């Protein structure tokens, strides 16, 4: 049961740190509408440490919660577990490989950062869609399934144009605002899955749904 206690705490730390960066004067020198979150470590080493801390906490929180989801049967071995692992690995990649500064020549690690961002934006909504499909007829879990499906669809709808602009032009227009919207939706989706997993833990074994 430790992941139930530690996962939300680590996730809360990640969210608080990211919000704190936006509360700094001039949002820490990063335009929240036009520039992505990955600009923080590029602009300032000090802010970069906080940004990396937030991502590491988010990664650890998701890994802990994911272990609980798998143990309780919400995630099955196969595509569902693989998608969550891919999301965690791609988030770690975003932590290790920095983006290229705006206007700078492209580098190999900048390209790795772009690839990790694209994979990260797709993998979690794909997991939400799979879980919606699997539990769509399970009356006890339909509310969780529908919520996960809607959040996944909204996240993917925002992520698709952002990823295209990010890959082709390194971000443009309101790229920063769209990215922050995707992050908020992903946080909501992980919170929904965590609540769903906890509800499964509290349900009698005989009443848990059989995976379809």
């Amino acid at each position: 049961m430790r992941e139930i206690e530690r996962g939300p705490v680590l996730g809360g730390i990640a969210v608080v740190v990211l919000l704190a960066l936006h509360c700094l004067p001039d949002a820490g020198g990063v335009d929240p509408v036009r520039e992505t979150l990955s600009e923080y470590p590029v602009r300032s080493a000090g802010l970069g440490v906080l940004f990396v801390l937030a991502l590491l906490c988010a990664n650890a929180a998701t890994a802990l919660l994911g272990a609980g989801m798998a143990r309780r049967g919400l995630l099955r071995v196969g595509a569902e577990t693989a998608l969550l692992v891919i999301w965690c690995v791609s988030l770690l990649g975003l932590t290790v490989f920095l983006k290229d500064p705006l206007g700078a020549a492209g580098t190999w690690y900048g390209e790795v950062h772009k690839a990790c961002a694209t994979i990260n934006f797709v993998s979690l909504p794909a997991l939400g869609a799979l879980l919606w499909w699997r539990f769509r007829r399970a009356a006890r879990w339909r509310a969780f399934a529908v919520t996960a499906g809607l959040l996944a669809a909204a996240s993917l709808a925002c992520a698709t144009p952002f990823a295209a602009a990010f890959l082709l032009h390194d971000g443009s227009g309101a790229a920063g605002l769209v990215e922050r919207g995707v992050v908020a939706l992903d946080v909501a989706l992980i919170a929904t899955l965590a609540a769903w997993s906890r509800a499964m833990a509290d349900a009698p074994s005989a009443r848990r749904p059989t995976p379809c």
Side-chain angles (χ1 to χ4, degrees):
M1 301 293 287
R2 290 181 178 179
E3 76 280 350
I4 293 180
E5 301 172 357
R6 296 179 181 177
V9 171
L10 290 170
I13 292 173
V15 171
V16 168
V17 171
L18 287 178
L19 290 175
L21 289 173
H22 291 78
C23 294
L24 294 173
D26 195 29
V30 175
D31 186 343
V33 174
R34 299 181 60 86
E35 297 174 329
T36 64
L37 292 166
S38 299
E39 285 293 324
Y40 280 109
V42 175
R43 299 290 177 83
S44 166
L47 297 181
V49 169
L50 293 176
F51 178 74
V52 168
L53 172 64
L55 264 59
L56 290 176
C57 285
N59 219 334
T62 305
L64 286 170
L65 293 170
M69 295 174 200
R71 188 167 62 251
R72 298 182 186 107
L74 178 58
L75 300 185
R76 295 186 297 193
V77 175
E80 295 167 359
T81 300
L83 283 169
L84 191 64
V85 171
I86 290 170
W87 188 87
C88 289
V89 171
S90 62
L91 186 63
L92 184 61
L94 292 174
T95 308
V96 175
F97 300 99
L98 299 182
K99 74 181 293 293
D100 295 317
L102 289 175
T107 61
W108 68 268
Y109 53 83
E111 293 303 313
V112 172
H113 182 92
K114 287 183 179 181
C116 288
T118 302
I119 294 170
N120 187 263
F121 283 162
V122 171
S123 52
L124 194 62
L127 172 60
L130 279 180
L131 291 174
W132 165 75
W133 180 259
R134 178 180 156 205
F135 288 97
R136 68 193 185 283
R137 294 192 182 95
R140 181 176 179 82
W141 310 113
R142 187 170 294 131
F144 284 113
V146 170
T147 301
L150 290 174
L151 288 171
S155 179
L156 205 55
C158 292
T160 301
F162 169 79
F166 188 65
L167 287 171
L168 296 175
H169 309 295
D170 200 25
S172 60
L177 185 62
V178 174
E179 182 204 36
R180 285 161 175 81
V182 173
V183 170
L185 289 167
D186 283 355
V187 169
L189 179 52
I190 292 172
T192 297
L193 298 184
W196 191 351
S197 176
R198 182 157 190 169
M200 280 189 165
D202 295 336
S205 298
R207 298 179 64 186
R208 293 182 190 174
T210 301
C212 57

